């Protein structure tokens, strides 16, 4: 009886329908499915964080409405963590906001700065929410392709002047999901200069900033002098502390940009549960060896899978960060065909690259979110396929 709004009808088609069907079919047949599709760590939240959350749950003062901007104590914990990690100073009162996971803020942010008809520059392949947030705000997405030729970085000089003059936000995401690409502080400096020149907001999604390997350490865009005038950075405790279910993150950056986001949040949500924020404080200010341990585990899996895939003749981009591998599909297949064959014949679920955007065609993404023994099992099954 009721038709969905145009914005819902304009949502991109859910490209994993066929994949989900094949996955269900394989399970129904009794196949032992190895799911390397989901970007959700299999490891539990570290016990000291859970304990802090439990204690906080008992406190009656946490049973009331929180504030949309977040507890001052959490924002102060962010300031301290940010100073230790990136050497950047932040004002907890105006330059930090607590998020209910970074996804809600990525989706909400354009509502604060985009008018109908404005352009938002969005990388592709990418996390789908940059485009969807734009769509919900009535903006127009202009896609910036990430390809192997440009090291999976957008070519800013290729954006037509007409588009640039209407553009309000430039989304970037490094370490990158799904391509695993990383960047330097120098590249961030170029982006900040470009944004100043064209009066653009740079919105940087830093969800994977703490999962890095091989001596590489991801920078924050806020390390660039003057970046706060044009940049806002979205952080998440989800991947770093294995807290995807708790829903907590934060955004940091220029006071004006943070204020815009807080104003939207004031009007659509009432903030993050304070017990979760207290768990977040324990995560950010407590011992960081749990993060080193998460890195060690993902690094071990990364090495096993990388070496195994290369032995089988796959072309893989050795990731310096994230818990993914971005791999070329073998010659003669589309991404969808290859992924379908992996489920049907080997019970292995991976994500077709084109599901993240057209330039992802010809690739697939592996999430290292199962144990080493299961990855070895997957490699054995791949070898038996004789591709
Ligand atoms: C996982 C992820 C997020 C956000 O996760 P939250 O749990 O909402 O904080 C954001 N961006 C990318 C690219 C991700 O992969």
């Amino acid at each position: 009886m009721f038709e969905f709004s145009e914005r819902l009808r304009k949502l991109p088609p859910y490209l994993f329908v066929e994949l989900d069907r094949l996955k269900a079919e394989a399970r129904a047949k009794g196949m032992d499915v190895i799911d390397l599709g989901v970007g959700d760590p299999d490891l539990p939240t570290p016990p000291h964080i859970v304990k802090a959350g439990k204690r906080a749950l008992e406190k009656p003062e946490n049973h009331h409405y929180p504030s949309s901007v977040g507890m001052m104590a959490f924002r102060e914990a962010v300031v301290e963590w940010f100073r230790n990690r990136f050497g950047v100073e932040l004002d907890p009162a105006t330059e930090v906001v607590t998020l209910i996971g970074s996804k809600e803020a990525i989706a909400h942010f354009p509502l604060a700065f985009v008018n109908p008809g404005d352009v938002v520059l969005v990388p592709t392949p990418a996390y789908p929410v940059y485009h969807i947030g734009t769509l919900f705000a009535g903006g127009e997405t202009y896609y910036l392709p990430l390809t192997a030729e440009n090291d999976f970085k957008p070519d800013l000089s290729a954006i037509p002047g007409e588009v640039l003059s209407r553009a309000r936000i430039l989304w970037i995401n490094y370490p990158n999901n799904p391509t695993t690409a990383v960047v330097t502080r120098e590249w961030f400096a170029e982006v900040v200069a470009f944004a100043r020149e064209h009066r653009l907001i740079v919105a940087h999604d830093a969800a994977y900033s703490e999962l890095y390997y091989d001596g590489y350490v991801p920078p924050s865009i806020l390390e660039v002098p003057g970046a706060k005038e044009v940049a806002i950075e979205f952080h998440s405790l989800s991947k770093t502390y294995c807290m995807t279910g708790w829903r907590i993150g934060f955004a940091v950056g220029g006071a004006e940009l943070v204020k815009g986001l807080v104003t939207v949040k004031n009007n659509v949500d009432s903030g993050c549960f304070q017990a979760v924020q207290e768990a977040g404080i324990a995560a950010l200010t407590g011992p960081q060896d749990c993060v080193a341990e998460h890195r060690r585990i993902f690094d071990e899996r990364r090495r096993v899978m990388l070496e195994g895939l290369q032995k089988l003749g796959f072309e893989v981009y050795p990731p310096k960060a994230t818990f993914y591998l971005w791999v070329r599909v073998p010659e003669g297949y589309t991404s969808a065909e290859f992924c379908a064959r992996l489920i049907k014949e080997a019970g292995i679920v991976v994500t077709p690259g084109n599901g993240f955007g057209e330039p992802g065609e010809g690739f697939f993404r592996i999430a290292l979110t199962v144990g080493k023994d299961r990855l070895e099992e997957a490699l054995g099954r791949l070898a038996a396929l004789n591709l």
Side-chain angles (χ1 to χ4, degrees):
M1 182 157 75
F2 301 107
E3 211 167 58
F4 281 165
S5 66
E6 248 171 70
R7 76 178 61 80
L8 285 201
R9 284 185 281 138
K10 272 201 235 155
L11 281 175
Y14 183 62
L15 275 151
F16 307 119
V17 177
E18 177 63 5
L19 211 65
D20 284 348
R21 195 184 63 77
L22 291 171
K23 187 158 60 167
E25 207 174 273
R27 287 211 166 104
K29 272 195 223 147
M31 261 172 124
D32 166 32
V33 172
I34 303 178
D35 196 342
L36 310 178
V38 283
D40 190 350
D42 55 316
L43 309 168
T45 304
H48 72 281
I49 301 174
V50 176
K51 259 189 215 132
K54 270 189 186 163
R55 273 198 306 271
L57 194 56
E58 305 271 356
K59 296 190 205 163
E61 65 263 37
N62 288 340
H63 301 169
H64 299 281
Y65 282 121
S67 81
S68 339
V69 69
M71 294 164 81
M72 185 47 102
F74 179 82
R75 287 179 283 148
E76 280 168 348
V78 168
V79 169
E80 185 188 323
W81 181 86
F82 221 82
R83 180 189 304 125
N84 293 337
R85 172 64 176 84
F86 299 111
V88 172
E89 283 303 325
L90 296 165
D91 175 358
T94 60
E95 296 178 333
V96 185
V97 47
T98 309
L99 306 176
I100 309 171
S102 60
K103 184 181 188 178
E104 60 94 353
I106 291 168
H108 285 141
F109 184 65
L111 290 173
F113 293 97
V114 172
N115 287 311
D118 286 348
V119 168
V120 176
L121 305 167
V122 173
T124 177
Y127 188 57
V129 188
Y130 315 133
H131 165 64
I132 290 167
T134 304
L135 187 67
F136 283 3
E140 215 176 275
T141 296
Y142 182 84
Y143 283 113
L144 308 176
L146 306 183
T147 64
E149 292 68 44
N150 58 30
D151 294 326
F152 305 108
K153 285 185 286 195
D155 179 1
L156 301 178
S157 68
I159 305 167
E162 180 276 325
V163 172
L164 212 41
S165 66
R166 290 189 295 130
R168 302 297 312 275
I169 301 175
L170 164 64
W171 280 105
I172 52 173
N173 162 223
Y174 294 98
N176 187 259
N177 174 16
T179 71
T180 73
V182 296
V183 295
T184 58
R185 186 186 305 139
E186 290 66 38
W187 188 76
F188 278 148
E190 285 171 34
V191 173
V192 167
F194 182 85
R196 279 172 183 279
E197 185 185 340
H198 299 284
R199 297 175 164 276
L200 280 173
I201 296 165
V202 185
H204 178 228
D205 177 358
Y208 294 93
S209 72
E210 303 316 299
L211 298 179
Y212 49 79
Y213 321 104
D214 290 344
Y216 170 79
V217 181
S220 160
I221 196 167
L222 299 185
E223 291 174 32
V224 176
K228 277 186 200 168
E229 281 165 45
V230 293
I232 182 164
E233 194 165 73
F234 297 81
H235 286 259
S236 171
L237 276 66
S238 288
K239 315 294 169 33
T240 306
Y241 298 102
C242 298
M243 291 179 76
T244 50
W246 295 70
R247 311 313 301 134
I248 183 160
F250 55 89
V252 290
E256 212 185 354
L257 304 178
V258 168
K259 188 175 177 186
L261 179 57
V262 172
T263 307
V264 175
K265 286 177 60 60
N266 269 328
N267 289 283
V268 296
D269 64 57
S270 299
C272 175
F273 183 22
Q274 291 199 5
V276 172
Q277 294 189 68
E278 289 201 28
I281 294 170
L284 292 171
T285 62
Q288 298 299 299
D289 16 334
C290 56
V291 184
E293 178 62 7
H294 294 157
R295 272 196 290 272
R296 191 194 63 72
I297 292 168
F298 288 122
D299 186 21
E300 186 181 32
R301 296 174 180 180
R302 176 187 73 116
R303 286 164 192 273
V304 165
M305 208 55 187
L306 189 60
E307 195 190 304
L309 287 170
Q310 282 171 340
K311 267 198 196 138
L312 292 173
F314 283 95
E315 192 185 332
V316 197
Y317 290 84
K320 285 196 159 59
T322 76
F323 50 48
Y324 303 111
L325 294 177
W326 188 238
V327 193
R328 276 211 200 260
V329 301
E331 203 124 341
Y333 296 91
T334 63
S335 292
E337 286 165 358
F338 183 70
C339 296
R341 182 163 177 215
L342 283 194
I343 299 184
K344 278 193 239 170
E345 295 177 32
I348 300 171
V349 179
V350 297
T351 311
N354 63 313
F356 300 99
E358 213 28 61
E361 177 54 51
F363 293 89
F364 65 97
R365 190 194 74 177
I366 289 177
L368 301 169
T369 47
V370 301
K372 200 175 89 174
D373 53 330
R374 294 295 277 166
L375 293 175
E376 278 161 354
E377 164 73 21
L379 285 169
R381 293 188 197 177
L382 280 171
L385 280 182
N386 272 320
L387 291 161

